[in-house]
Amino acid sequence: MMTTVALKFGRRMNTALRSSNLLYRSSSSFLLSANFLIQIPLTRKMSTDAHNIASQLNSSGLLRTQGLIGGKWQDAYDGKTIKVYNPSTGESIADVACMGGRETNDAISSAFDAFKSWSKTTAAERSKLLRKWYDLLMAHKEELAQLITLEQGKPLKESLGEINYSAGFIEFASEEAKRIYGDIIPAPQSDRRLFVLKQPVGVVGAITPWNFPLAMITRKVGPALACGCTVVIKPSELTPLTALAAAELSIQAGIPAGVVNVVMGNAPDIGDALIASPQIRKITFTGSTAVGKKLMAGSAETVKKVSLELGGNAPCIVFDDADLDVAVKGTLAAKFRNSGQTCVCANRILVQEGIYDKFANALLEAVQSMKVGDGFSEGVAQGPLINEAAVKKVDSLIHEATSKGAKVILGGKRHSLGSTFYEPTVITDVDNDMLISRQEAFGPVAPLLRFKTEEDAIRIANDTNAGLGSYVFTNSIQRSWRVAEALEYGLVGVNEGVISTEVAPFGGVKQSGLGREGSKYGMDEYLEIKYVCLGNMNKD
Ligand code: SIN
């Protein structure tokens, strides 16, 4: 059965497309394929570009709503679907297959079968296919960015940035595939030769979040494939369209059937199937600490390799000796990227007392100038939050903080745009015991804490179970070394608010996770080390 999908370009999207100086076309409603209907109200004209985008998405096969199992697009076995919403308008944009345990088990079997041949391909073959996939992701950059903004809400410019970032992981993996070296070890006995082989770990279960619908997939799947592993991806049910489009491009790149599989829908059932299967040898997860702990515990039964990228509570430390402009610009980026919805977003802004007032005013001014709106609108710097629960969490953290003495100097409430838009917020007089300092807000709120000395800053910053991203603003080279070494975090940005890149290791310490993604270190997560000893080597 084919799933029928009405992909609706609603009011806001049309406004956005109009605002980017696009031409109009008088078509009212048109059928793009047997299973995709782009509906445009009769009274409204549609931009040529919107038409082009829809046609392009369709003709390049990027509008997918079924899961991918063994190279075939599949509906859920019981025909169930779930809706995908545009967080900006609340409108439903697609119905996608709602899969569960049975589909997941079939996807695992396909990946297991495909592993037999994929793991035997040469590094050069895998490298070429990954490069092709990278080229296709870049060639379809605009369409993919549109999909991200549509289902996730982030400003189009940020979505375009995410495509570059995401494709970078595939490009890097295609290059690194050729550098998976083993070792030769000097043997302690003259008749022996010892060496180390690196081999793919096996079938990988990759569970990814909604905040980076593409990057969190390519960061896992790129290295997995480069190492010779096959994958079953479970994207977030909030943002599956981008994942499916990327999977379609993997097929177009020539990556064999069964190497990349995608199942989405009933998250607990899919997760349970991945965890229970002895054929899954590795779980890689980006998401909440609570779910990560469950996956880790569940993986113990079959002793799977696990990498986890979990919650953060990033401190952003601004010292008196910082360059004010650099500190404000860096904090703005570290805090408000993706409306505050990243695991490395600054969660607590620790400001030294000598610069506190100046910094608070300058930050307020910068935040005030950020335009909030639909991600497709020109000049928008902040889109909606992903859903109502996200809004409620931000709201309740702000209320708890103000009830204990914190002061809202900007924002602090829902935006007049309605839906899940929230005003970019700055609050002062926050202390480290308030919930807003203990929990990850995952929203556009900048809480300012005051500190006296470098030792105080380090103590406050490290007073958390999380340890992912952290930021320091100072003009002292000595202080930047000292503080970077003292921070109990996996990532430290010095005088820089956005430091993620495919060439550097990303990951946390303490309860922020295990393992690293990206860079040469990220490759090790998908490899087993095998020691081989050749004996009797002195014989002629
Ligand atoms: C995340 O929020 O999990 C990832 C952020 C990043 O890659 O910069």
Side-chain angles (χ1 to χ4, degrees):
M1 189 196 77
M2 284 292 237
T3 313
T4 303
V5 174
L7 189 72
K8 298 171 197 150
F9 288 75
R11 179 180 57 79
R12 287 178 196 278
M13 182 161 176
N14 277 316
T15 310
L17 290 164
R18 279 199 298 275
S19 72
S20 29
N21 290 330
L22 306 172
L23 299 169
Y24 299 106
R25 184 179 178 277
S26 60
S27 92
S28 56
S29 164
F30 48 93
L31 195 64
L32 285 169
S33 77
N35 60 339
F36 288 101
L37 179 65
I38 306 291
Q39 294 177 335
I40 308 295
L42 278 164
T43 52
R44 194 178 306 131
K45 294 184 176 180
M46 188 192 183
S47 80
T48 302
D49 257 32
H51 173 255
N52 288 344
I53 290 157
S55 305
Q56 244 178 301
L57 274 167
N58 189 59
S59 64
S60 44
L62 295 189
L63 281 176
R64 292 284 171 191
T65 56
Q66 295 164 298
L68 181 64
I69 301 177
K72 292 200 175 69
W73 292 104
Q74 304 267 359
D75 285 315
Y77 295 160
D78 60 6
K80 275 196 188 145
T81 57
I82 40 164
K83 289 195 180 304
V84 181
Y85 295 94
N86 175 352
S88 177
T89 60
E91 289 170 336
S92 127
I93 51 174
D95 294 310
V96 302
C98 182
M99 297 177 146
R102 280 198 300 142
E103 295 87 345
T104 306
N105 285 330
D106 285 351
I108 295 170
S109 298
S110 298
F112 189 73
D113 287 345
F115 180 74
K116 291 171 196 146
S117 48
W118 181 250
S119 57
K120 299 282 185 305
T121 54
T122 64
E125 285 167 321
R126 295 196 297 277
S127 172
K128 273 201 190 92
L129 290 170
L130 283 164
R131 178 72 208 192
K132 188 85 209 297
W133 192 13
Y134 162 79
D135 289 341
L136 285 171
L137 289 166
M138 293 307 283
H140 293 281
K141 183 175 165 163
E142 269 84 28
E143 298 146 270
L144 291 169
Q146 295 268 358
L147 265 186
I148 291 182
T149 295
L150 193 62
E151 65 178 349
Q152 200 275 338
K154 68 179 67 169
L156 195 55
K157 219 166 145 192
E158 276 194 46
S159 298
L160 285 164
E162 183 176 343
I163 307 299
N164 286 336
Y165 180 44
S166 312
F169 288 108
I170 302 296
E171 184 186 39
F172 186 88
S174 83
E175 293 157 350
E176 205 62 13
K178 293 180 270 185
R179 291 189 276 270
I180 302 170
Y181 303 129
D183 275 315
I184 300 201
I185 299 173
Q189 297 91 353
S190 65
D191 66 339
R192 293 186 181 192
R193 297 293 180 271
L194 315 184
F195 58 93
V196 170
L197 293 177
K198 291 206 182 155
Q199 294 182 311
V201 69
V203 181
V204 174
I207 305 174
T208 60
W210 51 264
N211 61 343
F212 289 88
L214 187 58
M216 298 303 103
I217 291 177
T218 57
R219 189 150 88 176
K220 293 167 170 49
V221 176
L225 266 53
C227 292
C229 299
T230 55
V231 294
V232 178
I233 305 166
K234 193 216 79 72
S236 165
E237 49 288 355
L238 300 177
T239 55
L241 298 174
T242 312
L244 297 171
E248 165 62 31
L249 291 175
S250 78
I251 299 173
Q252 292 182 20
I255 292 172
V259 172
V260 174
N261 302 272
V262 186
V263 287
M264 68 270 161
N266 185 328
D269 284 3
I270 295 171
D272 285 351
L274 289 171
I275 290 299
S277 170
Q279 291 180 332
I280 294 279
R281 296 307 315 138
K282 155 101 191 173
I283 289 286
T284 172
F285 170 71
T286 297
S288 73
T289 304
V291 172
K293 285 180 181 176
K294 282 192 185 139
L295 292 171
M296 191 173 171
S299 294
E301 189 60 36
T302 48
V303 194
K304 298 186 202 309
K305 207 171 160 96
V306 176
S307 36
L308 303 171
E309 200 260 273
L310 309 176
N313 183 0
C316 175
I317 309 173
V318 181
F319 286 99
D320 284 347
D321 63 8
D323 177 315
L324 186 65
D325 289 344
V326 171
V328 169
K329 192 166 157 252
T331 304
L332 199 69
K335 174 66 253 181
F336 292 96
R337 179 162 77 117
N338 200 7
S339 305
Q341 302 173 114
T342 87
C343 298
V344 287
C345 272
N347 202 52
R348 297 169 291 158
I349 299 160
L350 279 51
V351 190
Q352 201 161 14
E353 56 187 3
I355 199 175
Y356 189 93
D357 292 334
K358 248 204 262 174
F359 178 84
N361 288 332
L363 185 70
L364 181 145
E365 230 171 80
V367 176
Q368 226 161 13
S369 69
M370 279 170 49
K371 184 172 164 192
V372 180
D374 184 286
F376 287 100
S377 292
E378 197 64 33
V380 158
Q382 193 189 284
L385 297 190
I386 189 70
N387 56 23
E388 184 56 27
V391 174
K392 285 202 168 121
K393 173 153 194 200
V394 171
D395 221 29
S396 76
L397 289 175
I398 293 172
H399 282 122
E400 199 264 354
T402 50
S403 75
K404 292 192 168 150
K407 295 185 186 65
V408 173
I409 59 166
L410 184 71
K413 58 183 190 308
R414 287 169 184 270
H415 199 279
S416 55
L417 283 171
S419 188
T420 54
F421 289 96
Y422 203 87
E423 290 187 1
T425 299
V426 181
I427 56 178
T428 58
D429 300 283
V430 173
D431 70 41
N432 209 39
D433 293 326
M434 295 173 182
L435 282 183
I436 204 157
S437 300
R438 312 308 304 172
Q439 298 181 7
E440 198 176 16
F442 235 64
V445 48
L448 269 49
L449 291 75
R450 195 185 296 262
F451 70 89
K452 280 189 197 317
T453 64
E454 185 177 306
E455 293 67 37
D456 287 343
I458 292 166
R459 181 181 42 76
I460 297 167
N462 288 340
D463 179 21
T464 168
N465 285 332
L468 187 58
S470 61
Y471 307 90
V472 182
F473 291 90
T474 173
N475 266 341
S476 156
I477 185 80
Q478 293 81 2
R479 171 172 272 159
S480 52
W481 270 106
R482 253 192 335 263
V483 177
E485 284 176 0
L487 285 172
E488 296 164 359
Y489 288 82
L491 318 166
V492 185
V494 179
N495 294 326
E496 199 48 75
V498 179
I499 62 169
S500 308
T501 157
E502 72 277 8
V503 301
F506 188 104
V509 301
K510 300 202 269 188
Q511 295 188 23
S512 281
L514 284 179
R516 292 295 177 267
E517 295 193 305
S519 78
K520 64 175 183 175
Y521 304 102
M523 304 294 288
D524 294 339
E525 306 287 334
Y526 300 93
L527 293 167
E528 292 287 9
I529 285 176
K530 184 181 281 176
Y531 155 53
V532 181
C533 170
L534 296 182
N536 196 25
M537 292 295 283
N538 287 342
K539 194 165 173 281
D540 285 336

